[in-house]
Amino acid sequence: MNLFDDIKALVLDGLDALTRDGTLPAGLDFANVTVEPPRDPAHGDMATNAAMVLAKPAGLKPRDIALALVDRLTADARVAQAEVAGPGFINLRLADGVWQRLVAGILTAGADYGRVTRGQGKRVNVEYVSANPTGPMHVGHTRGAVFGDALANLLAHAGYDVTREYYINDGGAQVDVLARSVYLRYLEAHGQEVAFEDGTYPGDYLIDVGRALKDKVGDAYVGQPESVWLTEVRTFATDAMMALIREDLAALGVRMDSFFSEKSLYGTGRIEAALADLDAKGLIYQGVLEPPKGKTLEDWEPREQTLFRSTAHGDDVDRPVKKSDGGWTYFAPDIAYHYDKVSRGFDMLVDVFGADHGGYVKRMKAAVSALSDGRVPLEVKLIQLVRLTRGGEPVKMSKRAGTFVTLRDVVDQVGADVTRFVMLTRKNDAPLDFDFDKVLEQSKDNPVFYVQYAHARVCSVMRKAAAAGTVPDDAALAAADLSGLSHPAELDVVRKLAEWPRLVDIAAQTGEPHRVAFYLYDLASAFHALWHRGNAEPDLRFLSDDDRGDPAKIALPRAVAVVISAGLGILGVKPLEEMR
RNA sequence: GCACCCAUAGCUCAGCUGGAUAGAGUGUCGCCCUCCGAAGGCGAAGGUCGUAGGUUCGAAUCCUACUGGGUGCGCCA
């Protein structure tokens, strides 16, 4: 139910008719014809560029096409007025009944209003978070987690079949470091004095893990060499860290469909299988890379390595998959992981990375392109940094001193809902300022509050109406006579509601959930303005003096609440029924 | 040196994959509560969309070259 699609269909019908009667030449391409909300509301409800786009290929003046099309459009009952404006736009004004039916339709559809069919059930894998299992999640991970989760919701809303996946980096050297750090805490639990040198994680969060290890194995590993305990402790430690991370995710309201272990790729032939696939395509060879220019690498010496010909799929240089000592590079398991995703039959892949991994995008795309023979697109979304402040002052963080701010610190202080919304008020590739004090402020310059407040106001109206004994449910409201819903100030809000499906569609297409947050702010703003006009103009109040709810009046605020609720749902934020 | 990202009001940022007179918040100035929640609303002022070209009916948006900032660049993930 997208009003813009409906009217676009009407415009295209009109163009077909003009083609049939010879006004327009046959065979014109209508692909660039759009129907959009005009920037200036004075121009009407919708505008189409049809006449301007078609003028040149048709060999006609824009104005002539526009005038002919206007005749066709005004014949439709939904169009109250159509006129040619500017360089050849056709501005449309729609009949009040269109808006009234839209409100009824929103109330009938409920949370489904705004679902679009862009995805057509295509299967998409969204990989996000993917923090190393070496400690609790910190603020940097938080933004990626919130973004990925909202993007997944958004794609689901747009008709994709979404799988949310977490890639556990439990295969590299960093988990050995974790294991040694836990071992030190284990010795500590046995009363030994230990020193945390460089190359270990000193964080307090491992104390409990060390104790738990002691409870499990007693003193079996005390005084033993690594060869005895490393493998066991590594597994024990990563399991403990993943339990920690799952709790962090739960606190943030993020639920994954699938966890994929990097370790499961080693020693199982899966990396070899992925590289064999590339080899069969002639993309693996032995060679020597040029040193990077302009950057002085100490102890650089040319070495022959096993390389992936990623340049054949758009990369700048070929990339090594084996180290000179014969071990895999970190790239190799990533290739195997994405090979696995491709083999699972996804139609589209999305990776959410930190912005510091930007240099990794091309080779990853090249790998997926090669592995899927170009069938499966990989979209990589880069997440910029979060700058934490409190009262305008930067929050000092030091990883060495173990004083970095964790996800839990943030969620405990400001709540999951506020954290999520604020993290989505900026485009993913723009840095984000997060001020602990400001995000809790209850005022207009806090968008979370402002949107929640609009929803709470609607709930307040409904409570009053209920207290007065009139509580029509949404189905009854939708079926009621809404012809009284016709004041220009009211229709302004309805127009905003009409944009919702279109916005979901665009946000899903661009992969930009922040658009939802901005839209909700705009909608809330339109609603607050209408609310305030009720102060001076009793006709615009939602409730009559005795608090009775006339359907034509309370259907609109209910529809606003439905859309805010749906939008917040995509962001993963719970709408509030009252502000306290 | 190369690649990717960014540059829009004093400040923080949007700008609907090319549309009409470029928008919000904040800050500054001025208004609005006998009235459903003023935790709000209305208005004024504020711009060479980094620079220079190009593409076309039309460019903040697309292309090229610059300037300035960020990130990354074999055997770390």
Side-chain angles (χ1 to χ4, degrees), chain A residues 65-93:
Chain A
I65 300 177
L67 288 172
L69 186 54
V70 160
D71 284 343
R72 294 279 172 182
L73 296 175
T74 46
D76 192 280
R78 288 169 292 180
V79 177
Q81 192 185 78
E83 57 188 17
V84 184
F89 284 104
I90 298 173
N91 291 332
L92 300 175
R93 207 167 287 280

Side-chain angles (χ1 to χ4, degrees), chain A residues 205-278:
Chain A
Y205 58 91
L206 292 180
I207 294 175
D208 286 344
V209 183
R211 275 203 205 104
L213 181 62
K214 178 192 170 195
D215 292 344
K216 186 184 175 203
V217 304
D219 60 2
Y221 297 155
V222 175
Q224 299 294 322
E226 260 187 30
S227 56
V228 172
W229 51 261
L230 187 63
T231 306
E232 305 295 326
V233 175
R234 198 165 48 199
T235 302
F236 185 83
T238 52
D239 286 351
M241 291 303 102
M242 281 313 295
L244 203 62
I245 286 170
R246 283 171 196 257
E247 283 174 29
D248 284 349
L249 290 173
L252 193 59
V254 173
R255 194 192 56 78
M256 294 287 174
D257 297 312
S258 159
F259 288 82
F260 190 99
S261 161
E262 177 190 355
K263 205 168 62 181
S264 72
L265 297 167
Y266 292 95
T268 52
R270 298 171 80 177
I271 295 177
E272 291 80 355
L275 293 177
D277 181 87
L278 294 178

Side-chain angles (χ1 to χ4, degrees), chain A residues 95-213:
Chain A
D96 287 358
V98 173
W99 303 118
Q100 290 151 9
R101 282 193 295 279
L102 178 74
V103 169
I106 292 171
L107 294 173
T108 303
D112 288 334
Y113 174 63
R115 284 194 187 277
V116 295
T117 56
R118 164 170 298 278
Q120 299 180 313
K122 282 188 194 157
R123 296 183 58 214
V124 52
N125 180 293
V126 183
E127 177 206 335
Y128 57 106
V129 190
S130 300
N132 290 338
T134 55
M137 292 174 63
H138 57 74
V139 271
H141 301 125
T142 308
R143 189 176 179 193
V146 168
F147 174 86
D149 203 49
L151 178 61
N153 292 342
L154 180 59
L155 292 174
H157 217 69
Y160 290 90
D161 179 3
V162 181
T163 297
R164 302 129 190 279
E165 190 154 300
Y166 185 117
Y167 181 57
I168 309 171
N169 288 114
D170 55 4
Q174 76 280 1
V175 290
D176 289 343
V177 174
L178 173 73
R180 293 190 189 103
S181 307
V182 167
Y183 183 73
L184 290 176
R185 291 298 187 188
Y186 163 80
L187 295 180
E188 208 172 44
H190 278 92
Q192 296 193 19
E193 291 272 329
V194 297
F196 288 87
E197 293 158 7
D198 284 353
T200 53
Y201 302 126
D204 291 345
Y205 58 91
L206 292 180
I207 294 175
D208 286 344
V209 183
R211 275 203 205 104
L213 181 62

Side-chain angles (χ1 to χ4, degrees), chain A residues 15 21 40 86 98 101 108 213 216 246 284 297 303 353 361 389 402-403 420 484 493 513 530 555:
Chain A
L15 291 173
D21 71 15
D40 185 347
V98 173
R101 282 193 295 279
T108 303
L213 181 62
K216 186 184 175 203
R246 283 171 196 257
I284 300 291
L297 272 183
R303 290 212 181 125
F353 290 165
V361 174
T389 55
T403 60
R420 293 182 65 119
V493 177
L530 176 62

Side-chain angles (χ1 to χ4, degrees), chain A residues 8 11-12 15 28-36 47-57 89 502:
Chain A
K8 185 176 177 182
V11 169
L12 293 178
L15 291 173
L28 285 180
D29 180 10
F30 299 152
N32 291 328
V33 172
T34 61
V35 173
E36 305 180 314
T48 178
N49 63 356
M52 289 182 293
V53 172
L54 298 176
K56 197 170 186 182
F89 284 104
R502 189 170 177 273

